[in-house]
Amino acid sequence: MIRTIITISCLAAYIGLVAFLFSKSADNGAAEFSELERTVRTIDQRNTNLDSAVLSLRLGLVQDYDELTQCELDLQLPRLPADGPTTASELHLQQTLRPLLDQKVLLAADFKASHSVVRNSVAGFHHYCSKALKSFGNLSHSSARKLARLQTTGSRFVVSGSPDDKANFEAAIKEVENGIIPDANDLQNNRSLALTLQHAKKLVERRIELDDTIETLVSIPIRQQILQIMNNASATYQTKSRIAGQFRLILSTSIVLLLGFCFYQFVALWKHKSALYEANVNLEHRVSDRTSELAAAKAEAEKLALVARYTDNAVVITDDQTRIEWVNDGFTRITGYEADEVIGKRPSEFLQGRDTEEEKLEIMRAAVQAKRGFDIQTINYRKNGEPFWVDIEARPIKDKDGKVRRFIAIESDITDRVNSEIERQQLNEQLVDASRTAGMAEMATGVLHNVGNILNSVNVSTNLIRKQFQKSALINLEKITNLIAEHDGNFEEFVRLDERGQKIPAYFTKLNETLQQQHQKMKGEFQDLIDNVEHIKEIVSVQQSMAKSSGVMQDLAPRDLIHDSITANKGTLANHNIKIVQELDDHLPTLISDKHKILQILINLIKNGKDALVEQNTPNPELKISVSSCDENIVFRVSDNGVGISQSEIDKIFNHGFTTKKSGHGFGLHSSANAATELGGTLTVSSDGIGRGAVFELSLPAAFEAQPAMV
């Protein structure tokens, strides 16, 4: 134990040493040097900006003091921390550079004041000098020349500030004072000249002072101090970097020694591992059995507690005879019974009632007797007598010997869900009936349209027959018979000698030919009339057959279904000169199904194909109808070369209310798809795009199995 404490103490001390060496090796002054360099560079740049602003004002490049004022403010901003310098470089910066900066800021302020005075004096000098020149109209030529020389030398002196220009300016001032004023007679003129001389003398006084201020300001050795500070800081940084490198070398050596020590301790611990492992195994074996029992009991209790605490469902725990031992709060919320009202009772004694199905009660009793779980949905009753639907999941609870001691049941109130399902089924049935009715109505409309087209043909035939009777040659036969009756006694002589009688044989010959022609025409019209009437009978027969076969399962020949569906659309197909191509297998089996629903689908598909051809105005309209067998299915295909279907619409073509036709309502294909589903088959569509036609495929099982309709 003492050895372990000594080892840990030595290790902690050694780790502390490594941490100390690490901190020293990391402190090379780089951050301090970088910060100082950033500060002095900022100061140097702002110093340069101040000098440039002063010279710009001096040379007249700018006229306001905004830039110079900003430079003064910027040069005052770089300050050291309020608690004083923290490094030698900062201390040197505070002691040497800050006084120079403050001095330069003060000189800049002096410069602004002097420059302002000089600028005002220059403006006043030129103003009053020009005014004096204009006012002295009766001056002598010599006086005017002296005043002009004063203005010229003054302007030159203001710009250059040289001693020679200053001397010339002062001489011009004396000339004006001595030579012009005695000649002046006007008091106002004397005042302009006096103000001119006053400003001239002020320029002589302040112009040299301004240059001295600029020279003093520019000569402040801020740049030299910055270079010296940076040289000192660089030397300090190099010294710190060298010391930090030495600490890093010592740190590396210490880390290697620390790793060696750790490896030694690891080897020592490894040697004792076996003994410790055996002791640990023995201890675990002694505790394992008891721990397992406690863990199992705890886990079971935690599960039950979680279920009881967080579920909104009812939780019921009973004994093996279904007498209630415990219920949760959810049971009370759902049934209205408090726990103390139901403990010791069986659920069947107070939860079941009149509408509870006896079959489900028997299922639950049988499961309890067999000691197995069950899942069931039934009707229970609340305390207030209100029935509700409940979903019960009951499971047996076994002890360690596998014997069932209790049952746990989780009960969910599913009344809203069941009611919603009942409403959904009712709505589904209503929609299916509505779709079927709409489909039948559409089919009936098509049949009536076909019958109407045929009736138009019947009407044409009857009108032609009526006109033939009105124009018949037999109408003139009465005149001939009257003429013959008049000459009944001498008919032979009348025919031989009379000009009118001589025409009678030729007339009868012509009459015979005319009657033969009329007979042929009327025979053709009568045949067309008979054919049209037979066609109407066929359509009506198909419709009657469909009505009689609705819901009746019977053996059906695919060829007959194709024939009847084409017959129902024959009139409209013929009116639009649509070519019908039939492709039928020679050995097609019969199918057992609902003839009415199949004809409803096929008639609707043929009608849609016709509409697609008419809408496209296809030059050679063609409707191909085929039927084949595939595995145990009969496959009907109706294809056209009409308008086609876009890819964006092909997935919606069977949706309720969706249509691509201007006069459509979206019931026909939807009801056809529902009918196909009810027959246990499928109705699909494919198309290569707009203008490429479409193919509808109805696949039906040979043996019918009823399926629920889709909505």
Coordinates of all heavy atoms in Angstrom, one line a residue, residues 522-595:
M522 N -85.8 0.6 -104.9 CA -86.6 0.4 -103.6 C -86.2 -0.8 -102.9 O -86.2 -0.9 -101.7 CB -88.1 0.4 -104.0 CG -88.6 1.7 -104.5 SD -90.4 1.7 -104.9 CE -91.1 1.5 -103.3
K523 N -85.8 -1.9 -103.7 CA -85.3 -3.1 -103.1 C -84.1 -2.8 -102.2 O -83.9 -3.3 -101.1 CB -85.0 -4.1 -104.2 CG -84.6 -5.5 -103.6 CD -84.3 -6.4 -104.8 CE -83.8 -7.8 -104.2 NZ -83.5 -8.7 -105.3
G524 N -83.1 -2.0 -102.8 CA -81.9 -1.7 -102.0 C -82.2 -0.9 -100.8 O -81.7 -1.1 -99.7
E525 N -83.2 0.1 -100.9 CA -83.5 0.9 -99.7 C -84.2 0.1 -98.7 O -83.9 0.2 -97.5 CB -84.4 2.1 -100.2 CG -83.7 3.1 -101.0 CD -82.6 3.8 -100.3 OE1 -82.6 3.9 -99.0 OE2 -81.6 4.2 -101.0
F526 N -85.1 -0.9 -99.2 CA -85.7 -1.7 -98.2 C -84.7 -2.6 -97.5 O -84.9 -2.9 -96.3 CB -86.8 -2.6 -98.9 CG -88.1 -1.9 -99.0 CD1 -88.7 -1.6 -100.3 CD2 -88.9 -1.6 -97.9 CE1 -89.9 -1.0 -100.4 CE2 -90.1 -0.9 -98.0 CZ -90.6 -0.6 -99.2
Q527 N -83.7 -3.1 -98.2 CA -82.7 -3.9 -97.6 C -81.9 -3.1 -96.5 O -81.6 -3.6 -95.4 CB -81.7 -4.5 -98.6 CG -80.7 -5.5 -98.1 CD -81.4 -6.7 -97.5 OE1 -82.3 -7.3 -98.0 NE2 -81.0 -7.1 -96.3
D528 N -81.5 -1.8 -96.9 CA -80.8 -1.0 -95.9 C -81.7 -0.8 -94.7 O -81.2 -0.8 -93.5 CB -80.5 0.4 -96.5 CG -79.4 0.2 -97.6 OD1 -78.7 -0.8 -97.5 OD2 -79.2 1.2 -98.4
L529 N -83.0 -0.6 -94.9 CA -83.9 -0.3 -93.8 C -84.0 -1.6 -92.9 O -84.0 -1.5 -91.7 CB -85.3 0.0 -94.3 CG -86.4 0.3 -93.3 CD1 -86.0 1.6 -92.5 CD2 -87.7 0.6 -94.0
I530 N -84.1 -2.8 -93.5 CA -84.1 -4.0 -92.7 C -82.8 -4.2 -91.9 O -82.8 -4.5 -90.8 CB -84.3 -5.2 -93.7 CG1 -85.7 -5.1 -94.3 CG2 -84.1 -6.5 -92.9 CD1 -86.0 -6.2 -95.4
D531 N -81.6 -3.9 -92.6 CA -80.3 -4.0 -91.9 C -80.2 -3.1 -90.7 O -79.7 -3.5 -89.6 CB -79.2 -3.7 -92.9 CG -79.1 -4.8 -94.0 OD1 -79.6 -5.9 -93.7 OD2 -78.4 -4.5 -95.0
N532 N -80.7 -1.8 -90.9 CA -80.7 -0.9 -89.8 C -81.6 -1.3 -88.6 O -81.2 -1.2 -87.4 CB -81.0 0.5 -90.3 CG -80.0 1.1 -91.1 OD1 -78.8 0.9 -90.9 ND2 -80.3 2.0 -92.1
V533 N -82.7 -1.8 -89.0 CA -83.6 -2.3 -87.9 C -83.0 -3.5 -87.2 O -83.1 -3.6 -85.9 CB -85.0 -2.6 -88.5 CG1 -85.9 -3.3 -87.5 CG2 -85.7 -1.4 -89.0
E534 N -82.4 -4.4 -87.9 CA -81.7 -5.5 -87.3 C -80.6 -5.0 -86.4 O -80.3 -5.6 -85.3 CB -81.2 -6.5 -88.4 CG -82.2 -7.2 -89.1 CD -83.0 -8.2 -88.2 OE1 -82.3 -8.7 -87.3 OE2 -84.2 -8.4 -88.4
H535 N -79.9 -4.0 -86.9 CA -78.8 -3.5 -86.1 C -79.3 -2.9 -84.7 O -78.7 -3.1 -83.7 CB -78.0 -2.4 -86.8 CG -76.8 -1.9 -86.2 ND1 -76.1 -0.8 -86.6 CD2 -76.1 -2.4 -85.1 CE1 -75.0 -0.6 -85.8 NE2 -75.0 -1.6 -84.9
I536 N -80.4 -2.2 -84.8 CA -81.0 -1.7 -83.6 C -81.4 -2.8 -82.7 O -81.2 -2.8 -81.5 CB -82.3 -0.8 -83.9 CG1 -81.8 0.5 -84.7 CG2 -83.0 -0.4 -82.7 CD1 -82.9 1.4 -85.2
K537 N -82.0 -3.9 -83.3 CA -82.4 -5.0 -82.5 C -81.2 -5.7 -81.8 O -81.2 -6.1 -80.6 CB -83.1 -6.1 -83.3 CG -84.5 -5.6 -83.8 CD -85.0 -6.6 -84.9 CE -85.2 -8.0 -84.3 NZ -85.7 -8.9 -85.3
E538 N -80.0 -5.7 -82.5 CA -78.8 -6.3 -81.9 C -78.3 -5.4 -80.7 O -78.0 -6.0 -79.7 CB -77.7 -6.3 -83.0 CG -77.9 -7.4 -84.0 CD -76.8 -7.4 -85.0 OE1 -75.8 -6.6 -84.9 OE2 -76.8 -8.2 -86.0
I539 N -78.3 -4.1 -80.9 CA -77.9 -3.2 -79.8 C -78.8 -3.4 -78.6 O -78.3 -3.5 -77.5 CB -77.8 -1.8 -80.3 CG1 -76.8 -1.6 -81.4 CG2 -77.6 -0.8 -79.1 CD1 -76.7 -0.2 -82.0
V540 N -80.1 -3.4 -78.9 CA -81.1 -3.5 -77.8 C -80.9 -4.9 -77.1 O -80.9 -5.0 -75.9 CB -82.5 -3.3 -78.3 CG1 -83.5 -3.7 -77.2 CG2 -82.7 -1.9 -78.8
S541 N -80.6 -5.9 -77.9 CA -80.4 -7.3 -77.4 C -79.2 -7.3 -76.5 O -79.2 -7.9 -75.4 CB -80.3 -8.3 -78.5 OG -80.0 -9.6 -78.0
V542 N -78.1 -6.7 -77.0 CA -76.9 -6.6 -76.1 C -77.2 -5.9 -74.8 O -76.8 -6.4 -73.7 CB -75.7 -5.9 -76.9 CG1 -74.6 -5.7 -76.0 CG2 -75.3 -6.8 -78.1
Q543 N -77.9 -4.8 -74.9 CA -78.2 -4.0 -73.7 C -79.0 -4.9 -72.7 O -78.8 -4.9 -71.5 CB -78.9 -2.7 -74.0 CG -79.1 -1.8 -72.9 CD -77.8 -1.2 -72.3 OE1 -76.8 -1.4 -73.0 NE2 -77.9 -0.6 -71.2
Q544 N -80.0 -5.6 -73.3 CA -80.9 -6.4 -72.5 C -80.1 -7.6 -71.9 O -80.3 -7.9 -70.7 CB -82.1 -6.9 -73.3 CG -83.1 -5.9 -73.7 CD -84.2 -6.4 -74.6 OE1 -84.0 -7.4 -75.3 NE2 -85.3 -5.7 -74.7
S545 N -79.2 -8.1 -72.7 CA -78.4 -9.2 -72.2 C -77.5 -8.7 -71.0 O -77.3 -9.5 -70.0 CB -77.5 -9.7 -73.3 OG -76.6 -10.7 -72.8
M546 N -76.9 -7.5 -71.1 CA -76.1 -7.0 -70.1 C -77.0 -6.8 -68.8 O -76.5 -7.1 -67.7 CB -75.5 -5.7 -70.5 CG -74.4 -5.8 -71.5 SD -73.8 -4.2 -72.1 CE -73.2 -3.5 -70.6
A547 N -78.2 -6.2 -69.0 CA -79.0 -6.0 -67.8 C -79.4 -7.3 -67.1 O -79.4 -7.4 -65.9 CB -80.3 -5.2 -68.3
K548 N -79.7 -8.3 -67.9 CA -80.1 -9.6 -67.3 C -78.9 -10.3 -66.7 O -79.1 -11.0 -65.7 CB -80.7 -10.5 -68.4 CG -82.0 -10.0 -69.0 CD -82.5 -10.9 -70.1 CE -83.9 -10.4 -70.6 NZ -84.3 -11.3 -71.7
S549 N -77.7 -10.1 -67.2 CA -76.6 -10.8 -66.7 C -75.8 -10.1 -65.6 O -74.8 -10.6 -65.1 CB -75.6 -11.1 -67.8 OG -75.0 -9.8 -68.3
S550 N -76.3 -8.9 -65.1 CA -75.6 -8.2 -64.1 C -75.6 -9.0 -62.8 O -76.6 -9.4 -62.3 CB -76.3 -6.8 -63.8 OG -75.7 -6.2 -62.8
G551 N -74.4 -9.2 -62.3 CA -74.2 -9.9 -61.0 C -74.2 -11.4 -61.2 O -74.1 -12.2 -60.2
V552 N -74.5 -12.0 -62.4 CA -74.6 -13.4 -62.6 C -73.3 -13.9 -63.2 O -72.8 -13.4 -64.2 CB -75.7 -13.7 -63.6 CG1 -75.8 -15.2 -63.9 CG2 -77.0 -13.2 -63.1
M553 N -72.7 -14.9 -62.6 CA -71.5 -15.6 -63.0 C -71.9 -16.7 -64.1 O -72.7 -17.5 -63.8 CB -70.7 -16.2 -61.9 CG -70.3 -15.2 -60.8 SD -69.2 -14.0 -61.4 CE -70.2 -12.6 -61.4
Q554 N -71.3 -16.6 -65.2 CA -71.6 -17.6 -66.3 C -70.4 -17.8 -67.2 O -69.5 -17.0 -67.2 CB -72.8 -17.1 -67.1 CG -72.6 -15.6 -67.6 CD -73.8 -15.1 -68.3 OE1 -74.4 -15.7 -69.2 NE2 -74.3 -13.9 -67.8
D555 N -70.5 -18.9 -67.9 CA -69.4 -19.2 -68.9 C -69.5 -18.2 -70.1 O -70.6 -18.1 -70.7 CB -69.5 -20.6 -69.4 CG -69.1 -21.6 -68.3 OD1 -68.3 -21.2 -67.5 OD2 -69.5 -22.8 -68.3
L556 N -68.4 -17.6 -70.4 CA -68.4 -16.6 -71.4 C -67.4 -16.9 -72.5 O -66.2 -17.2 -72.1 CB -68.2 -15.2 -70.8 CG -69.2 -14.7 -69.7 CD1 -68.7 -13.4 -69.1 CD2 -70.6 -14.6 -70.3
A557 N -67.7 -16.7 -73.7 CA -66.7 -16.9 -74.8 C -66.1 -15.5 -75.1 O -66.9 -14.6 -75.4 CB -67.4 -17.5 -76.0
P558 N -64.8 -15.3 -75.1 CA -64.2 -14.0 -75.4 C -64.6 -13.5 -76.7 O -64.8 -12.3 -76.9 CB -62.7 -14.3 -75.3 CG -62.6 -15.5 -74.3 CD -63.8 -16.3 -74.6
R559 N -64.8 -14.4 -77.7 CA -65.2 -13.9 -79.1 C -66.5 -13.2 -79.0 O -66.7 -12.1 -79.6 CB -65.2 -15.0 -80.1 CG -63.8 -15.6 -80.5 CD -64.0 -16.8 -81.4 NE -62.7 -17.2 -81.8 CZ -62.0 -16.8 -82.9 NH1 -62.6 -15.8 -83.6 NH2 -60.8 -17.2 -83.3
D560 N -67.5 -13.8 -78.3 CA -68.8 -13.2 -78.2 C -68.8 -11.9 -77.5 O -69.5 -10.9 -77.8 CB -69.7 -14.2 -77.4 CG -70.0 -15.5 -78.2 OD1 -69.7 -15.5 -79.4 OD2 -70.3 -16.5 -77.6
L561 N -67.9 -11.8 -76.4 CA -67.8 -10.5 -75.7 C -67.3 -9.4 -76.7 O -67.7 -8.2 -76.6 CB -66.9 -10.6 -74.5 CG -67.4 -11.6 -73.4 CD1 -66.3 -11.8 -72.4 CD2 -68.6 -11.0 -72.7
I562 N -66.3 -9.7 -77.5 CA -65.7 -8.8 -78.4 C -66.8 -8.4 -79.4 O -67.0 -7.2 -79.8 CB -64.5 -9.4 -79.1 CG1 -63.3 -9.5 -78.1 CG2 -64.0 -8.4 -80.3 CD1 -62.8 -8.3 -77.6
H563 N -67.6 -9.4 -80.0 CA -68.6 -9.1 -81.0 C -69.6 -8.2 -80.4 O -70.1 -7.2 -81.0 CB -69.2 -10.4 -81.4 CG -70.4 -10.2 -82.3 ND1 -71.7 -10.1 -81.9 CD2 -70.4 -10.1 -83.7 CE1 -72.5 -10.0 -82.9 NE2 -71.8 -9.9 -84.1
D564 N -70.1 -8.4 -79.1 CA -71.2 -7.6 -78.6 C -70.7 -6.2 -78.3 O -71.4 -5.2 -78.5 CB -71.7 -8.3 -77.2 CG -72.4 -9.5 -77.5 OD1 -72.8 -9.8 -78.7 OD2 -72.7 -10.3 -76.5
S565 N -69.4 -6.1 -77.8 CA -68.9 -4.7 -77.5 C -68.8 -3.9 -78.8 O -69.0 -2.7 -78.8 CB -67.6 -4.8 -76.7 OG -66.7 -5.5 -77.5
I566 N -68.3 -4.6 -79.9 CA -68.2 -3.8 -81.2 C -69.6 -3.5 -81.7 O -69.8 -2.3 -82.2 CB -67.4 -4.7 -82.2 CG1 -66.0 -4.9 -81.8 CG2 -67.5 -4.0 -83.6 CD1 -65.2 -5.7 -82.6
T567 N -70.6 -4.4 -81.6 CA -71.9 -4.1 -82.0 C -72.5 -2.9 -81.3 O -73.2 -2.1 -81.9 CB -72.8 -5.4 -81.8 OG1 -72.3 -6.5 -82.5 CG2 -74.2 -5.1 -82.2
A568 N -72.3 -2.8 -80.0 CA -72.8 -1.7 -79.3 C -72.3 -0.3 -79.7 O -72.9 0.7 -79.5 CB -72.5 -1.8 -77.8
N569 N -71.1 -0.3 -80.4 CA -70.5 0.9 -80.9 C -70.5 1.0 -82.4 O -69.8 1.9 -82.9 CB -69.0 1.0 -80.4 CG -68.9 1.3 -78.9 OD1 -69.0 2.4 -78.4 ND2 -68.7 0.2 -78.1
K570 N -71.2 0.1 -83.1 CA -71.0 -0.1 -84.5 C -71.4 1.2 -85.2 O -70.8 1.6 -86.2 CB -71.9 -1.2 -85.0 CG -71.7 -1.6 -86.4 CD -72.5 -2.8 -86.8 CE -72.4 -3.2 -88.3 NZ -73.2 -4.4 -88.6
G571 N -72.5 1.8 -84.8 CA -73.0 3.0 -85.5 C -72.0 4.2 -85.5 O -71.7 4.7 -86.6
T572 N -71.5 4.5 -84.4 CA -70.5 5.7 -84.3 C -69.2 5.3 -85.0 O -68.6 6.2 -85.6 CB -70.3 6.0 -82.9 OG1 -69.8 4.9 -82.2 CG2 -71.5 6.6 -82.2
L573 N -68.8 4.1 -84.9 CA -67.6 3.7 -85.6 C -67.7 3.8 -87.1 O -66.8 4.3 -87.8 CB -67.2 2.2 -85.3 CG -66.8 2.0 -83.8 CD1 -66.6 0.5 -83.5 CD2 -65.5 2.7 -83.4
A574 N -68.9 3.4 -87.6 CA -69.1 3.5 -89.1 C -69.3 4.9 -89.5 O -68.8 5.3 -90.6 CB -70.4 2.7 -89.4
N575 N -69.9 5.8 -88.7 CA -70.1 7.2 -89.1 C -68.7 7.9 -89.3 O -68.6 8.8 -90.1 CB -70.9 7.9 -88.0 CG -72.3 7.5 -88.1 OD1 -72.8 7.0 -89.1 ND2 -73.1 7.8 -87.0
H576 N -67.7 7.5 -88.5 CA -66.4 8.1 -88.6 C -65.4 7.3 -89.4 O -64.2 7.6 -89.4 CB -65.8 8.3 -87.2 CG -66.6 9.3 -86.4 ND1 -66.6 10.6 -86.6 CD2 -67.5 9.1 -85.4 CE1 -67.4 11.2 -85.7 NE2 -68.0 10.3 -84.9
N577 N -65.9 6.3 -90.2 CA -65.0 5.5 -91.1 C -63.8 4.9 -90.3 O -62.7 5.0 -90.8 CB -64.6 6.3 -92.3 CG -65.7 6.8 -93.1 OD1 -66.7 6.0 -93.4 ND2 -65.7 8.0 -93.6
I578 N -64.1 4.4 -89.1 CA -63.0 3.9 -88.3 C -62.8 2.4 -88.7 O -63.8 1.6 -88.6 CB -63.2 4.1 -86.8 CG1 -63.3 5.6 -86.5 CG2 -62.2 3.4 -86.0 CD1 -63.6 5.9 -85.1
K579 N -61.6 2.0 -89.0 CA -61.3 0.6 -89.4 C -61.2 -0.2 -88.1 O -60.4 0.1 -87.2 CB -60.1 0.5 -90.2 CG -59.7 -0.9 -90.6 CD -58.4 -0.9 -91.5 CE -58.0 -2.3 -91.9 NZ -56.7 -2.3 -92.6
I580 N -61.9 -1.4 -88.0 CA -61.8 -2.3 -86.9 C -61.0 -3.5 -87.3 O -61.2 -4.2 -88.3 CB -63.2 -2.7 -86.4 CG1 -64.1 -1.5 -86.1 CG2 -63.1 -3.7 -85.2 CD1 -63.6 -0.7 -85.0
V581 N -59.9 -3.7 -86.5 CA -59.0 -4.9 -86.7 C -59.1 -5.8 -85.5 O -58.9 -5.3 -84.4 CB -57.6 -4.4 -87.0 CG1 -56.7 -5.7 -87.1 CG2 -57.4 -3.5 -88.1
Q582 N -59.5 -7.0 -85.8 CA -59.7 -8.0 -84.7 C -58.6 -9.1 -84.8 O -58.3 -9.6 -85.9 CB -61.0 -8.7 -84.7 CG -62.2 -7.7 -84.6 CD -63.6 -8.5 -84.5 OE1 -63.7 -9.4 -83.8 NE2 -64.5 -8.0 -85.4
E583 N -57.9 -9.3 -83.6 CA -56.9 -10.3 -83.6 C -57.3 -11.3 -82.4 O -57.1 -10.9 -81.2 CB -55.5 -9.7 -83.3 CG -55.0 -8.8 -84.5 CD -53.7 -8.2 -84.2 OE1 -53.2 -8.4 -83.0 OE2 -53.1 -7.6 -85.1
L584 N -57.8 -12.4 -82.7 CA -58.3 -13.4 -81.7 C -57.5 -14.7 -81.9 O -57.4 -15.2 -83.0 CB -59.8 -13.6 -81.9 CG -60.7 -12.3 -82.0 CD1 -62.1 -12.7 -82.3 CD2 -60.6 -11.5 -80.8
D585 N -57.1 -15.2 -80.7 CA -56.5 -16.6 -80.7 C -57.5 -17.6 -81.1 O -58.7 -17.5 -80.9 CB -56.0 -16.9 -79.3 CG -54.7 -16.2 -79.0 OD1 -54.2 -15.5 -79.9 OD2 -54.2 -16.3 -77.9
D586 N -57.1 -18.6 -81.8 CA -58.0 -19.7 -82.3 C -58.4 -20.6 -81.2 O -59.5 -21.2 -81.3 CB -57.3 -20.5 -83.4 CG -57.0 -19.7 -84.6 OD1 -57.8 -18.7 -84.9 OD2 -56.0 -20.0 -85.3
H587 N -57.7 -20.7 -80.1 CA -58.0 -21.6 -79.1 C -58.1 -20.9 -77.7 O -57.4 -21.1 -76.8 CB -56.9 -22.7 -79.0 CG -56.7 -23.5 -80.2 ND1 -57.6 -24.4 -80.8 CD2 -55.7 -23.4 -81.1 CE1 -57.2 -24.9 -81.9 NE2 -56.0 -24.3 -82.2
L588 N -59.1 -20.0 -77.7 CA -59.3 -19.2 -76.5 C -60.2 -20.0 -75.5 O -61.3 -20.5 -75.9 CB -60.0 -17.9 -76.8 CG -59.1 -16.8 -77.4 CD1 -59.9 -15.7 -77.8 CD2 -58.0 -16.4 -76.5
P589 N -59.8 -20.1 -74.2 CA -60.7 -20.8 -73.3 C -61.9 -19.9 -72.9 O -61.8 -18.7 -73.1 CB -59.8 -21.1 -72.1 CG -58.8 -20.0 -72.2 CD -58.6 -19.7 -73.6
T590 N -62.9 -20.4 -72.3 CA -64.0 -19.6 -71.8 C -63.6 -19.1 -70.4 O -62.7 -19.7 -69.8 CB -65.3 -20.4 -71.7 OG1 -65.0 -21.6 -70.9 CG2 -65.7 -20.9 -73.1
L591 N -64.3 -18.1 -70.0 CA -64.0 -17.6 -68.6 C -65.3 -17.5 -67.9 O -66.4 -17.3 -68.5 CB -63.3 -16.3 -68.6 CG -64.1 -15.0 -69.1 CD1 -63.4 -13.8 -68.5 CD2 -64.1 -14.9 -70.6
I592 N -65.3 -17.7 -66.6 CA -66.4 -17.6 -65.7 C -66.4 -16.3 -65.0 O -65.5 -16.0 -64.2 CB -66.4 -18.8 -64.6 CG1 -66.4 -20.1 -65.3 CG2 -67.6 -18.6 -63.7 CD1 -66.3 -21.3 -64.4
S593 N -67.3 -15.4 -65.4 CA -67.3 -14.1 -64.8 C -68.6 -13.4 -65.0 O -69.6 -14.0 -65.5 CB -66.2 -13.2 -65.5 OG -65.9 -12.0 -64.8
D594 N -68.7 -12.1 -64.7 CA -69.9 -11.3 -64.9 C -69.9 -10.6 -66.2 O -69.1 -9.7 -66.5 CB -69.9 -10.2 -63.7 CG -71.2 -9.4 -63.7 OD1 -71.9 -9.3 -64.7 OD2 -71.5 -8.9 -62.6
K595 N -70.8 -11.0 -67.1 CA -70.8 -10.5 -68.5 C -71.1 -9.0 -68.5 O -70.6 -8.3 -69.3 CB -71.9 -11.3 -69.3 CG -72.0 -10.8 -70.7 CD -73.1 -11.6 -71.5 CE -73.2 -11.2 -72.9 NZ -74.2 -12.0 -73.7

